[in-house]
Amino acid sequence: KTPRALRSVLLFPALATLLEQHRATSAHNAPLDPVFATQTGQPMYYRNVTRRGLAVAVQRAGLDRAGEPRLRFHDLRHGFTALLIAQGLSVIFISRMLGHSSASFTLDVYGGLFDRAEHMRRASDALEHEFAASLNPYTTEKAAS
């Protein structure tokens, strides 16, 4: 879309390996070829990716239940963002991964998730502390003195 839209993204090793294997078996595997290409080597059109890839995966995973909202391609972006937030990553990092113009925009869109993730971490830490204390009161009393 714009020069700022070009960015590096998080790619974990297992996925990198899978993508490398896919590219190696593709007829279009030159360094500048898209990883997912049409038969002529052009980048796939997003509607084809949605119909031939996402829709099939959703069906195979049993996520196409009647009465449930249809999973959209953009929902994957929101899911990825929610996972980054749940991992406690900074809003600056997440904003850059998403290509947002500013961290404040990211907070405007995902602020509720950041707030919820922080409260869940605090609650989990407090419960862990209390649970550990109830299992071994002697150790807790000794540590406090």
Side-chain angles (χ1 to χ4, degrees):
K1 298 187 310 190
T2 67
R4 282 193 79 173
L6 294 175
R7 60 192 172 276
S8 296
V9 295
L10 184 65
L11 183 64
F12 50 94
L15 180 57
T17 299
L18 189 64
L19 292 172
E20 287 168 358
Q21 290 170 350
H22 173 77
R23 171 173 264 167
T25 62
S26 172
H28 307 285
N29 56 17
L32 296 179
D33 287 343
V35 175
F36 299 100
T38 64
Q39 290 179 347
T40 62
Q42 297 300 309
M44 293 183 80
Y45 184 59
Y46 78 95
R47 290 198 192 276
N48 286 340
V49 173
T50 300
R51 282 190 213 119
R52 296 179 187 167
L54 182 62
V56 172
V58 165
Q59 184 179 21
R60 286 183 183 167
L63 299 175
D64 57 345
R65 295 182 211 119
E68 294 288 325
R70 183 178 54 88
L71 183 69
R72 302 165 302 147
F73 202 79
H74 196 76
D75 295 331
L76 300 176
R77 177 181 170 89
H78 292 302
F80 173 71
T81 305
L83 289 171
L84 295 179
I85 292 168
Q87 291 300 312
L89 299 172
S90 79
V91 67
I92 301 292
F93 175 80
I94 294 170
S95 181
R96 288 185 183 142
M97 287 292 100
L98 298 174
H100 287 168
S101 58
S102 68
S104 62
F105 180 80
T106 305
L107 282 172
D108 286 345
V109 176
Y110 295 103
L113 289 180
F114 278 99
D115 188 49
R116 213 170 327 163
E118 179 60 26
H119 281 88
M120 290 297 284
R121 273 191 291 281
R122 287 183 186 174
S124 177
D125 290 348
L127 290 170
E128 174 66 21
H129 175 76
E130 293 301 319
F131 181 70
S134 70
L135 289 179
N136 195 347
Y138 174 75
T139 304
T140 306
E141 290 172 12
K142 189 175 180 181
S145 38

